[in-house]
Amino acid sequence: MDTLVQIRRELHQIPELGFKEFKTQKYLLEKLSEFPQNFLTVTTWKTGIVVKIEGSNPTKTIGWRSDIDGLPIVEETGLPYSSVHEGNMHACGHDCHMTITLGLVQALASNQPEHNVVVYFQPAEEGPGGAKPMLEWLKTERPDLLPDEIYALHIAPEYPVGTVATRPGLLFANTSELFIDLKGKGGHAAYPHKTKDMTVAAANLILQLQTIVSRNVDPMDSAVVTIGKMTSGTVQNIIAENARLEGTIRTLNAEAMAEVKRRIEAICTGIEASFDCEVSIDYGSMYYEVNNHPECAKRLLQFADQFEGASSYHCPAAMTGEDFGYFLKDIPGAMFWAGANCEYGLHHAKISPDEQLLSFNAQFVEQFIRSL
């Protein structure tokens, strides 16, 4: 079995949630210790890791970032190397990202690059968000580990292996979590007039939230307001005193995000008046858009055009959220979609990427970084 395939399968078995990636960090550190150490410096931050590879004649520092956390999803792949952490799964390809990055580090540690390379194994991409606090730590405590430019990839199940898909400018959307709690007055189902029913209030709120995109966002712009979970009540004959909605907001620019939130708050104020209840809003984790620097994205696409087995694709922007956007807000760079040739999409309980993407992208990224 290919070494990278074995590594990916071992990582796939131990998915951990944000800032709880203790086994993952230990595994990565053990693998890093097996590589030649002449040019390596390994530093830890929370459950993340920063690896610096000293260049032979450096005039700049190039960054590469991999996320490392899993998702709270029950795996349904039926694979012999399925998650052993019940209720958690690498359903967004971070096991692949880490594996490709280990392959990159091994190659650079074995054959010293010209320029300095700093690799970030970043925790908590899925939540509560690791990029922003990692950057703050780098700026305040370890500015020597900040790059001059930075790159990353994300697997794309819908593209064939070998696809390098990106675009100058906006690649991924601004995103925000959305949690809304409603509090009324519970009581016996036979006496609704003595209660304040939060199931009914929450149902009305869901319907009104759906008008924001259709009636408050410019039709030439794009936004998403999705409520993925609603909970209310305890049993069938008690009117619910509390209800909770959980969802996500996604927009293609910061102005639209502000307008969507303004409308959510106005609608919730109306619900309070209409149903004589209390409504509180928590926006949870908010991720800045992934906005590729034009020249960096063009370099990726041009390099893919001449790399054997690669297929470049100038892809459209997506409503996907990624906290790599915080890196690109401050540092020139770009992210690309790496084809994974899989029937099931990201965050699906049956996603199983084509493992041929591992060696291909490890080599592609290594050669691309050496070309800069």
Side-chain angles (χ1 to χ4, degrees), residues 14 16 20-28 84-85:
I14 55 168
E16 298 167 294
K20 297 178 181 178
E21 307 97 331
F22 304 110
K23 289 184 181 178
T24 303
Q25 184 188 54
K26 182 175 182 290
Y27 181 93
L28 293 171
V84 297
H85 291 171

Side-chain angles (χ1 to χ4, degrees), residues 297-315:
K298 288 175 184 175
R299 279 200 292 268
L300 267 170
L301 290 168
Q302 288 168 356
F303 187 79
D305 283 336
Q306 55 85 43
F307 189 84
E308 185 177 355
S311 175
S312 67
Y313 174 48
H314 190 291
C315 64

Side-chain angles (χ1 to χ4, degrees), residues 34-180:
E34 296 172 5
F35 302 158
Q37 300 295 304
N38 296 348
F39 322 125
L40 292 190
T41 304
V42 178
T43 306
T44 59
W45 172 79
K46 295 186 183 294
T47 49
I49 304 169
V50 180
V51 184
K52 184 173 184 180
I53 303 103
E54 293 286 346
S56 60
N57 186 28
T59 58
K60 61 181 175 179
T61 298
I62 302 161
W64 177 263
R65 174 271 205 171
S66 168
D67 37 20
I68 69 173
D69 56 324
L71 284 160
I73 292 175
V74 177
E75 183 165 353
E76 297 177 6
T77 62
L79 295 167
Y81 50 89
S82 294
S83 169
V84 297
H85 291 171
E86 187 175 354
N88 291 350
M89 179 186 176
H90 272 303
C92 201
H94 298 187
D95 50 343
C96 297
H97 302 170
M98 287 185 281
T99 302
I100 291 164
T101 303
L102 283 173
L104 167 66
V105 174
Q106 183 178 29
L108 296 177
S110 302
N111 183 9
Q112 188 177 22
E114 178 184 359
H115 300 295
N116 295 331
V117 178
V118 180
V119 171
Y120 308 92
F121 289 96
Q122 178 217 303
E125 187 277 326
E126 298 291 353
K132 191 174 182 180
M134 178 178 256
L135 267 172
E136 290 170 355
W137 167 73
L138 288 166
K139 290 174 184 176
T140 57
E141 297 187 34
R142 294 302 304 268
D144 57 304
L145 295 177
L146 283 167
D148 298 303
E149 57 188 290
I150 189 167
Y151 299 87
L153 64 74
H154 199 297
I155 68 161
E158 67 272 28
Y159 296 141
V161 172
T163 303
V164 175
T166 191
R167 68 194 309 273
L170 187 73
L171 182 66
F172 295 161
N174 295 273
T175 69
S176 174
E177 294 177 329
L178 177 62
F179 304 100
I180 304 176

Side-chain angles (χ1 to χ4, degrees), residues 124 179 214 296 350 364:
F179 304 100
S214 65
C296 297
K350 292 184 178 180
F364 176 83

Side-chain angles (χ1 to χ4, degrees), residues 296-359:
C296 297
K298 288 175 184 175
R299 279 200 292 268
L300 267 170
L301 290 168
Q302 288 168 356
F303 187 79
D305 283 336
Q306 55 85 43
F307 189 84
E308 185 177 355
S311 175
S312 67
Y313 174 48
H314 190 291
C315 64
M319 282 295 183
T320 314
E322 239 285 0
D323 70 349
F324 184 63
Y326 286 110
F327 281 97
L328 296 184
K329 186 178 181 182
D330 295 340
I331 305 164
M335 172 175 259
F336 69 92
W337 288 112
N341 189 34
C342 180
E343 177 183 358
Y344 298 98
L346 300 173
H347 293 207
H348 195 286
K350 292 184 178 180
I351 186 173
S352 181
D354 185 336
E355 292 174 323
Q356 292 183 74
L357 75 91
L358 302 172
S359 59

